[in-house]
Amino acid sequence: MHKHSVAHALQHGSMALCLSTLAWIACPAGAVQAAARAVAPAPIQSPHVSEAPVQPAGMAQPSAIQPAGSSVRPQPIKPAGTPGTAAPKLMEPDENDTDAERIRKLQSVASGNPKRGSAAERTAGRTAWLLGLLYLHGEHAPVDRTLARRWFERAKTLNEPLGNAGLAWCEIDGCNGPPAPAAARPYLSPLQKADSGLALYLEWRILERLAPVQGSNTGQPLHSDPDVQRMQLLRQAAQAGNASAFNELGLANVTASRYDLALQQFNTAAARSPAAASNARLLRLRMDQGESARGGSGSGGGGNGITATGNKSPEEWFAQARRYHRGDGVPSNYAEAIRLYQLAAAAGNPSARRMLELIYSRPAPGGSVNIAWMRQLASMDVTAEGAILNFSSPPTPQLFVRDVTPLYEFIPNEWRKDRSLGQR
């Protein structure tokens, strides 16, 4: 019985082997090759190597606003290059609340006693910073620079790094006392990591406040080394993304008649700076007017349009000096105004000679140009020889402007009102 079962199994196995062999032989050659391809392993690929050259760590591509070959690289503050921590979510103003009620709600959040290092502390610190901004700019509350400084100090106490920006600005501009620009520097180092562009811009403002006015009797060249250093610092602030720095570069390029570059810089800052947005619109309008004026006349300087200018008469030099003195259609620039007055006076214009005599008749204590006296002279008529000084008509209301402060861009849009522009 056992032998019969084994024999039967061998018989079935032989038959299965034969059938399998016959099926393989009968299979078309193409099908066999297809099956082989289906199970063939994929060839080993060599690692992909990018053909782009490897950049050394930390080397950034040069920015478009960096002058090629510039050897002047003053770095009072180097951009940190690291973004600050994410800002906590602030409460939005309730449209049903009065301004006083909105301020009270913010004060309640900012005046608490949160745990050190907690999310509540971060929210309280950023709310105190917002309160300082609102009081500084008169948003939802009357302007109160003393209160603004107190809330900036509260923000700093709560480890909000931007509180240092508010305190620095209070020293630069004088919130509750005379300006002390040099006293702002200790606040810039802790601000650097939170917003390097703002720290660089505030350093530039400090240097601008401390620098003497050019064109006085010091014999200093118009484009001296300190000027180049300050401009380099302003470019660094713009490279770090500061909107006020871009607006300042645009104003400088308007003064230098580089209108296309100025328009580009105004547009770059327009989303965050209402002043830059206004300047971009005004410059575009002036450029369009200038194109129309050139189509009808080859001489520049007529009207308010920006046109190319050639050789000028003494009267035209004087008129141009008045524009820079008063900020009429161009950024106010006392150094450029004095230079143009000197050109007009040298060419024989008596009004320019009289203006220069008046400018230098009341020097500042250090012998430089008296800024307050320059402001008064900007609105006085000196064209009549021997006439009593009279206030002349104000300049056109369409002026290139700056934001009220460089901190205005940090006010959230929902907390802003229509008080964004100024002429500082």
Side-chain angles (χ1 to χ4, degrees), residues 115-188:
K115 183 180 178 180
R116 197 74 169 172
S118 64
E121 183 190 51
R122 292 182 57 223
T123 300
R126 187 55 63 96
T127 304
W129 157 246
L130 174 60
L131 278 166
L133 293 175
L134 297 181
Y135 278 114
L136 182 65
H137 298 94
E139 299 281 2
H140 301 277
V143 173
D144 191 326
R145 294 160 71 85
T146 301
L147 268 180
R149 183 182 183 106
R150 290 178 186 172
W151 285 113
F152 290 146
E153 290 171 345
R154 172 64 177 165
K156 184 176 183 294
T157 301
L158 293 169
N159 292 317
E160 170 53 56
L162 289 175
N164 292 283
L167 293 172
W169 180 251
C170 280
E171 297 292 354
I172 293 170
D173 205 46
C175 282
N176 51 358
R185 284 200 169 102
Y187 298 109
L188 300 188

Side-chain angles (χ1 to χ4, degrees), residues 137 139 274 403 405-411 416-417 419-420:
H137 298 94
E139 299 281 2
D403 290 317
T405 80
L407 306 182
Y408 185 83
E409 65 172 285
F410 294 90
I411 301 178
R416 293 185 184 185
K417 289 186 176 180
R419 300 174 184 172
S420 57

Side-chain angles (χ1 to χ4, degrees), residues 176-402:
N176 51 358
R185 284 200 169 102
Y187 298 109
L188 300 188
S189 180
L191 175 62
Q192 183 179 352
K193 290 183 180 180
D195 194 320
S196 61
L198 179 57
L200 286 162
Y201 178 79
L202 292 177
E203 174 68 17
W204 175 80
R205 289 296 291 257
I206 292 171
L207 295 178
E208 283 289 297
R209 291 292 182 94
L210 296 177
V213 175
Q214 294 173 343
S216 59
N217 292 327
T218 59
Q220 187 181 24
L222 184 62
H223 300 291
S224 62
D225 187 65
D227 294 325
V228 176
Q229 291 178 354
R230 291 197 298 275
M231 182 56 67
Q232 180 66 18
L233 187 63
L234 190 60
R235 289 191 178 102
Q236 290 175 358
Q239 287 169 351
N242 183 261
S244 294
F246 272 112
N247 190 54
E248 287 293 337
L249 288 173
L251 294 174
N253 282 311
V254 168
T255 302
S257 302
R258 294 187 288 265
Y259 305 123
D260 290 336
L261 181 56
L263 185 61
Q264 175 188 346
Q265 289 162 340
F266 289 146
N267 285 331
T268 300
R272 290 171 294 144
S273 167
S278 174
N279 291 339
R281 291 191 297 269
L282 179 57
L283 180 57
R284 181 73 266 173
L285 176 63
R286 296 284 174 86
M287 291 172 71
D288 291 343
Q289 291 174 346
E291 290 293 334
S292 300
R294 277 198 296 274
S297 173
S299 61
N304 288 325
I306 292 176
T307 59
T309 57
N311 294 328
K312 293 184 178 181
S313 67
E315 289 71 26
E316 288 173 324
W317 285 124
F318 177 75
Q320 188 76 347
R322 293 292 284 163
R323 292 182 65 201
Y324 281 106
H325 195 169
R326 303 169 71 189
D328 185 2
V330 295
S332 179
N333 187 326
Y334 293 158
E336 182 66 7
I338 291 174
R339 186 184 74 86
L340 292 170
Y341 283 137
Q342 290 170 342
L343 288 174
N349 184 273
S351 298
R353 284 199 301 268
R354 189 172 186 220
M355 177 60 78
L356 289 172
E357 291 172 357
L358 289 167
I359 289 172
Y360 295 128
S361 67
R362 298 185 186 178
S368 59
V369 172
N370 188 322
I371 299 298
W373 181 228
M374 282 291 289
R375 291 196 187 107
Q376 295 181 52
L377 291 176
S379 58
M380 292 182 179
D381 182 11
V382 296
T383 55
E385 187 71 28
I388 298 174
L389 294 179
N390 296 315
F391 284 95
S392 56
S393 59
T396 171
Q398 289 186 312
L399 301 174
F400 292 100
V401 292
R402 298 176 175 89

